[in-house]
Amino acid sequence: MTSTSQSTVLVTGAGRGLGLALARSLLSSGWRVVVDARRAEHLAAALPGAVVVPGDVTEPAHRDALASAVSGLAPTDEQRLDLLVNNASDLGPSPLPRLADVPLAAVRRVYETNVLAPLALTQKFLPLLRASHGTVLNISSDAAVEAYAGWGAYGSSKAALDQLTAVLAAEEPGLAVYSVDPGDMRTEMHQAAFPGEDISDRPAPEAVVPALLRLIASRTAPSGRVRAADLAGTSV
Ligand SMILES: NC(=O)c1ccc[n+]([C@@H]2O[C@H](COP(=O)([O-])OP(=O)(O)OC[C@H]3O[C@@H](n4cnc5c(N)ncnc54)[C@H](OP(=O)(O)O)[C@@H]3O)[C@@H](O)[C@H]2O)c1
């Protein structure tokens, strides 16, 4: 049990890439951090002090375990969740198939991970988020608004996530609710989207974190879809 004045965050998909970079930065800023990933054996060492809950965001029992981890951080009357980051995501098959060929089971999996799991976690944590006047940060993509061949399953899932974000913002004016397009990042997911290509010119995920931190800290930026590139160097 730690100080109740500390802000609390849940970051999904923090095993690597953007989720890990953001969780690491929030930890070093004094946040109480709860994270997950399916492969999480390395996270106790990578994120010392964080609460690590191994599992899959699409599974209800795992989401229950995340809720228990967050509520275990404080006495009942002092529980809070200041920030929910829905970052865990499924790209679908690699190489990216056209809609003519994409297996429906793969599309279903993408939607379960990128749309239904963030909605389920939002529902689960809304009481704590409301009590904390918290922030929901849904990690989106330019593929939500651009029609790239091969990106139909993933892109349409992120478009749905953007719309969930917009509607949640309208329904919950006490919360800040954002979907953020982080831009290209040099990660495993990006490599899977461009198999065999040299992606070394893409920025590291750590480069996106300062813009996200400014957005989280501002509390004044209007809810909705934002591009991290548009936040870079601004005070929001
Ligand atoms: N990289 C880019 O260029 C780019 C561009 C635009 C948007 N984005 C978005 O940015 C976010 C982060 O992407 P990234 O590139 O950092 O991805 P990444 O390197 O592939 O990392 C994704 C993380 O999510 C975890 N994860 C995946 N599915 C999960 C599940 N079902 N349950 C729990 N954890 C799960 C992964 O760990 P396990 O596999 O061990 O579970 C991993 O830790 C995603 O929302 C992505 O769509 C990325």
Side-chain angles (χ1 to χ4, degrees):
M1 207 80 68
T2 46
S3 161
T4 53
S5 62
Q6 269 181 297
S7 295
T8 301
V9 59
L10 167 61
V11 184
T12 67
R16 56 176 191 263
L18 179 62
L20 177 59
L22 179 60
R24 187 174 273 142
S25 178
L26 290 167
L27 251 188
S28 69
S29 302
W31 286 63
R32 293 186 296 198
V33 174
V34 179
V35 294
D36 80 352
R38 292 164 298 182
R39 293 162 291 165
E41 306 76 25
H42 61 294
L43 278 182
L47 294 171
V51 177
V52 179
V53 186
D56 185 327
V57 287
T58 66
E59 292 176 3
H62 172 60
R63 296 195 295 261
D64 289 345
L66 289 171
S68 298
V70 169
S71 58
L73 290 171
T76 310
D77 56 342
E78 294 172 5
Q79 285 172 14
R80 57 191 297 158
L81 186 65
D82 300 272
L83 175 61
L84 168 64
V85 185
N86 285 308
N87 169 77
S89 186
D90 192 317
L91 178 69
S94 171
L96 294 169
R98 289 172 175 266
L99 287 174
D101 307 312
V102 66
L104 293 185
V107 180
R108 193 170 290 119
R109 173 75 199 166
V110 167
Y111 280 37
E112 288 278 354
T113 309
N114 299 359
V115 184
L116 293 175
L119 175 58
L121 286 169
T122 302
Q123 290 175 335
K124 192 169 276 298
F125 286 107
L126 259 181
L128 287 185
L129 287 163
R130 286 182 186 130
S132 310
H133 301 292
T135 299
V136 178
L137 200 62
N138 292 322
I139 305 300
S140 184
S141 169
D142 60 333
V145 293
E146 302 290 343
Y148 303 126
W151 292 76
Y154 173 87
S156 61
S157 77
K158 294 294 191 180
L161 184 63
D162 282 2
Q163 184 65 354
L164 288 182
T165 303
V167 172
L168 184 69
E171 292 175 348
E172 300 286 342
L175 304 184
V177 190
Y178 303 108
S179 62
V180 180
D181 167 13
D184 288 354
M185 300 175 291
R186 195 170 63 241
T187 66
E188 271 192 44
M189 177 181 284
H190 198 82
Q191 188 68 74
F194 299 96
E197 285 188 35
D198 178 6
I199 62 164
S200 60
D201 61 337
R202 273 59 151 196
E206 285 75 11
V208 178
V209 170
L212 298 185
L213 295 181
R214 277 197 296 279
L215 182 65
I216 293 161
S218 78
R219 295 284 318 159
T220 54
S223 289
R225 178 181 164 85
V226 289
R227 294 170 67 239
D230 293 337
L231 300 171
T234 69
S235 57
V236 193

